[in-house]
């Protein structure tokens, strides 16, 4: 097998087929991919730009690159994250892996401990320091320690416990989050895999001081919980071991929603909810591991994404949820896809001759239709899209829901097929944009588990096809390092800064007048 998958015969064929597609006008053809249903999801790819010959070559690429071998290594627990000296095992959090049964048991024990704790908070057997039941949870954490719980809390707005998130290092957000909190009835979760992330630690310190200022020192021991790999750091900061839940080093932050990072959601919705969420993901994992390449949902998503971005020159990918309960999905997928596959060298450190992941963006619909869809329908940039909707209405406002669905399907149709070629230029919508529509049958714990796992596995397949390490994120370190001396300079110390930043620092320190 060539060291670079771009040298594989199927990759070369795909490049030729893409060239042919550019010359021929075939935008009216439906894709050959039939809809598939699994785990409460229907995935419809009729609006992709995939002919039988193209699909056949994409499947050959999966075979020639030995994607199946990579999948097997994932389920054995031996897939490597070399730059961090780890194996990739987050799937173990929901699906026992073939290697190390003892570790499967340890994961289950920690999960049960976490779920018992969540149930205790819910049923009032675990209370605040003055004996009053917990009414609010504040989840302090950023990135993977925030986005997964936020997706779930937003998707199921039925909790009797108020869950608030404190992610950013922004004093105003901090103030707003603390506003109207009752220190006797608030549980604080400090969620940080590394327990060294600036935002999490600064916010945790500020919230702790807020409790103390209100004479609630007694709450610190009872109402502050840590979720982390670095139990040592949490204990050094005053958390007792009993108030810590464990993450393992082999769980990347953006893959951690299946772990005790989900504690806030388990408290909000209960242990049965969390178990069903894991069961949905497990169902998807079983499918991913066992289904043929051609009928494998994550592989379909990955191969069409590769085709669109690599061969059909789509540098942008939109995620468009037509349901406010799914409004946080684009942000979640931004971290999952971009932090995983936003890489420029292979896992061996060689430059990549081409592109990797397209930029992911999107937002709650139909709001976007009245903001940026003009650009999507008549602008000059090329993109692909995932439309996401739920079949059933969550309220008695059935016609609202039917309008959401009608708009969802209409937009994918407009983007794909446009209008008649003889339409006057200013009204002409050329179409030609490939998209997938993912329909939840009902939005429940199991289906959202399957949905998030499906995207995780898509990202895994793409990382393999691009030959990159999807499980590190070294790029984010530079900014963190640079921010430290700048912070010191802003605080008044005579630290030297980059000449391009110096004037801004001077402006902050000496505001003067305009
Ligand atoms: O800076 C990026 C990152 O490391 C993400 O990968 C991670 O999800 C986030 O920061 C938070 O990290 P931690 O959970 O260690 O606080």
């Amino acid at each position: 097998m060539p060291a670079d998958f771009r040298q594989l015969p199927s990759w070369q064929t795909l490049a030729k087929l893409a060239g042919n597609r550019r010359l021929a006008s075939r935008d009216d053809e439906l894709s050959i991919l039939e809809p598939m249903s699994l785990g409460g999801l229907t995935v419809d790819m009729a609006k992709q730009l995939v002919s039988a010959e193209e699909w056949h070559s994409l499947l050959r690429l999966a075979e020639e690159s030995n994607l199946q071998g990579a999948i097997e290594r994932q389920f054995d627990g031996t897939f490597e994250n070399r730059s961090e000296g780890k194996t990739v095992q987050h799937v173990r959090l929901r699906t026992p892996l073939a290697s190390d049964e003892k570790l499967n048991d340890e994961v289950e024990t920690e999960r049960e401990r976490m779920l018992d704790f969540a149930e205790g908070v819910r049923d009032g057997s675990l209370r605040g320091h003055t004996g009053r039941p917990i009414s609010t949870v504040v989840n302090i954490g950023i990135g993977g320690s925030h986005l997964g719980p936020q997706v779930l809390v937003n998707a199921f707005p039925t909790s009797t416990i108020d869950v608030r998130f404190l992610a950013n290092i922004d004093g105003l957000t901090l103030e707003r989050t603390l506003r109207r909190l009752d220190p006797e009835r608030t549980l604080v979760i400090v969620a940080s895999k590394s327990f060294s992330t600036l935002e999490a630690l600064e916010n945790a310190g500020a919230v702790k001081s807020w409790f103390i200022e209100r004479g609630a020192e007694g709450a610190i021991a009872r109402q502050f919980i840590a979720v982390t790999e670095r139990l040592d750091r949490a204990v050094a900061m005053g958390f007792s071991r009993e108030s810590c839940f464990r993450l393992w080093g082999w769980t990347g932050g953006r893959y951690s929603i299946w772990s005790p990072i989900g504690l806030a959601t388990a408290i909000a919705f209960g242990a049965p909810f969390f178990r069903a969420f894991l069961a949905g993901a497990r169902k998807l994992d079983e499918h991913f591991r066992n289904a043929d390449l051609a009928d494998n949902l994550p592989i379909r998503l990955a191969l069409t994404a590769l085709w669109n971005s690599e061969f059909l020159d789509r540098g942008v990918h939109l995620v468009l949820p037509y349901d406010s309960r799914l409004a946080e999905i684009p942000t979640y997928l931004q971290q999952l896809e971009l932090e995983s596959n936003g890489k420029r060298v292979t896992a061996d450190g060689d430059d990549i001759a081409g592109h990797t992941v397209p930029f992911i963006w999107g937002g709650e619909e139909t709001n976007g239709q009245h903001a940026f869809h003009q650009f999507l329908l008549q602008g000059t940039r090329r993109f692909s899209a995932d439309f996401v909707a739920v079949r059933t209405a969550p309220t008695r406002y059935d016609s609202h829901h039917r309008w959401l669905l009608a708009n969802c399907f209409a937009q994918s149709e407009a983007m794909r097929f446009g209008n008649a070629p003889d339409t006057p230029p200013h009204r002409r919508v050329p179409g030609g944009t490939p998209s997938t529509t993912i329909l939840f049958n009902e939005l429940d714990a199991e289906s959202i588990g399957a949905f998030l796992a499906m995207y995780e596995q898509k990202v895994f397949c793409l990382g393999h096809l691009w030959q990159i390490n999807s499980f590190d994120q070294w790029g984010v370190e530079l900014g963190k390092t640079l921010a430290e001396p700048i912070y010191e300079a802003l605080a008044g110390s005579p630290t030297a800064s980059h000449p391009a930043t110096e004037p801004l620092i001077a402006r902050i320190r000496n505001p003067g007048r305009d």
Side-chain angles (χ1 to χ4, degrees):
M1 196 187 304
D4 180 356
F5 291 173
R6 284 175 170 79
Q7 304 305 321
L8 289 171
S10 49
W11 195 289
Q12 305 289 326
T13 308
L14 284 163
K16 276 194 204 116
L17 291 173
N20 297 345
R21 180 174 273 280
R22 267 191 291 278
L23 296 176
S25 172
R26 296 161 49 189
D27 287 350
D28 288 345
E29 286 172 15
L30 289 188
S31 98
I32 55 115
L33 298 169
E34 298 285 337
M36 275 187 65
S37 292
L38 186 92
L41 305 172
T42 295
V43 179
D44 185 300
M45 295 189 157
K47 292 172 186 136
Q48 286 293 339
L49 294 164
V50 187
S51 69
E53 196 182 7
E54 291 157 352
W55 183 236
H56 177 73
S57 298
L58 286 164
L59 290 173
R60 264 195 36 229
L61 175 64
E63 272 166 19
E64 285 177 3
S65 67
N66 193 16
L67 178 55
Q68 287 293 13
I71 295 172
E72 274 317 301
R73 291 203 299 288
Q74 184 194 104
F75 286 99
D76 284 347
T78 56
F79 193 90
E80 283 181 293
N81 164 359
R82 271 188 281 154
S83 72
E84 293 185 347
K86 296 174 185 166
T87 48
V88 174
Q89 300 190 45
H90 58 270
V91 172
R92 193 189 287 279
L93 296 164
R94 58 197 192 221
T95 298
L97 296 186
S99 63
D100 204 343
E101 282 188 20
K102 191 163 154 270
L103 189 51
N104 289 336
D105 294 344
E106 281 175 33
V107 167
E108 194 178 329
T109 305
E110 191 65 352
R111 181 194 309 134
E112 289 308 311
R113 195 170 83 83
M114 184 272 275
L115 293 178
D116 282 351
F117 179 85
E119 284 298 326
V121 173
R122 286 170 65 77
D123 66 21
S125 54
L126 294 173
R127 293 173 176 240
H129 70 293
T130 57
R132 298 184 66 203
I134 297 296
S135 59
T136 307
V137 171
V138 177
N139 187 88
I140 299 177
I142 196 162
S145 299
H146 161 228
L147 297 171
Q150 182 174 264
V151 162
L152 295 181
V153 166
N154 194 60
F156 302 99
T158 50
S159 171
T160 48
I161 304 235
D162 179 21
V163 181
R164 301 185 190 186
F165 293 99
L166 196 45
N168 197 358
I169 182 117
D170 184 316
L172 190 55
T173 313
L174 174 66
E175 259 182 28
R176 284 183 176 147
T177 308
L178 294 173
R179 208 171 282 163
R180 288 191 294 278
L181 277 191
D182 180 346
E184 293 180 43
R185 304 193 62 190
T186 299
L187 184 85
V188 179
I189 301 171
V190 184
S192 174
K193 182 185 165 189
S194 60
F195 233 72
S196 64
T197 302
L198 170 81
E199 290 86 342
L201 296 189
E202 288 288 319
N203 280 328
V207 173
K208 192 169 164 186
S209 303
W210 181 90
F211 272 75
I212 293 169
E213 284 157 17
R214 276 151 193 78
E217 288 90 344
I220 312 287
R222 265 186 96 78
Q223 291 164 233
F224 275 61
I225 303 297
V227 183
T228 184
E229 178 195 358
R230 295 302 303 264
L231 299 168
D232 55 333
R233 288 185 181 154
V235 169
M237 281 181 212
F239 289 84
S240 69
R241 178 62 186 86
E242 296 71 56
S243 54
C244 295
F245 292 99
R246 178 173 182 195
L247 280 180
W248 280 263
W250 39 256
T251 310
R254 55 194 174 274
Y255 300 94
S256 65
I257 180 57
W258 324 102
S259 76
I261 287 289
L263 176 60
T265 33
I267 295 173
F269 308 119
F273 170 94
F274 202 78
R275 289 199 184 95
F277 172 64
L278 298 183
R282 196 155 51 242
K283 192 175 216 169
L284 195 288
D285 286 338
E286 279 160 18
H287 162 81
F288 179 54
R289 188 176 186 184
N290 299 315
D292 289 345
L293 288 176
D295 298 317
N296 193 309
L297 277 178
I299 295 178
R300 279 185 173 209
L301 285 181
L303 290 178
T304 48
L306 184 82
W307 176 236
N308 290 330
S309 77
E310 185 82 28
F311 297 98
L312 304 187
D313 193 26
R314 313 271 155 176
V316 176
H317 183 73
L318 273 289
V319 179
L320 303 173
Y322 278 74
D323 197 304
S324 60
R325 293 169 293 171
L326 299 172
E328 302 300 335
I329 290 286
T331 315
Y332 180 87
L333 292 183
Q334 269 182 339
Q335 191 204 16
L336 178 64
E337 298 224 23
L338 302 181
E339 210 173 62
S340 297
N341 287 340
K343 310 283 161 66
R344 54 189 307 113
V345 294
T346 67
D348 289 328
D350 298 324
D351 285 346
I352 287 180
H355 285 295
T356 55
V357 69
F359 180 60
I360 310 272
W361 65 287
E364 180 184 342
E365 297 290 358
T366 58
N367 296 352
Q369 290 181 202
H370 302 277
F372 56 81
H373 281 230
Q374 165 61 36
F375 159 88
L376 300 179
L377 291 159
Q378 286 191 313
T380 54
R381 301 285 176 184
R382 293 154 75 82
F383 62 95
S384 55
D386 285 352
F387 288 81
V388 189
V390 183
R391 190 182 62 85
T392 44
T395 68
R396 67 191 169 85
Y397 297 105
D398 282 348
S399 69
H400 273 65
H401 192 69
R402 206 169 302 124
W403 275 122
L404 273 182
L405 293 175
N407 274 284
C408 175
F409 301 166
Q411 287 295 314
S412 63
E413 208 174 291
M415 288 179 198
R416 176 66 178 78
F417 301 108
N419 54 13
D422 59 356
T423 308
H426 66 286
R427 287 179 172 273
R428 172 81 170 117
V429 173
T433 294
S435 69
T436 291
T437 300
I438 298 161
L439 203 55
F440 284 79
N441 193 28
E442 310 247 1
L443 187 57
D444 56 21
E446 215 174 322
S447 55
I448 202 154
F451 178 88
L452 297 181
M454 178 174 74
Y455 275 93
E456 269 190 8
Q457 301 295 19
K458 166 199 171 186
V459 166
F460 175 85
C461 295
L462 282 169
H464 169 79
L465 294 164
W466 281 315
Q467 294 174 281
I468 56 189
N469 183 349
S470 305
F471 302 99
D472 62 9
Q473 57 285 317
W474 293 103
V476 302
E477 296 305 321
L478 176 61
K480 292 181 189 174
T481 313
L482 294 176
E484 282 180 26
I486 295 177
Y487 177 89
E488 294 305 326
L490 290 172
S493 55
T495 322
S497 299
H498 195 285
T501 308
E502 206 58 80
L504 289 168
I505 295 174
R507 178 72 177 153
I508 302 283
R509 288 182 55 184
N510 307 302
R513 297 176 68 89
D514 287 335

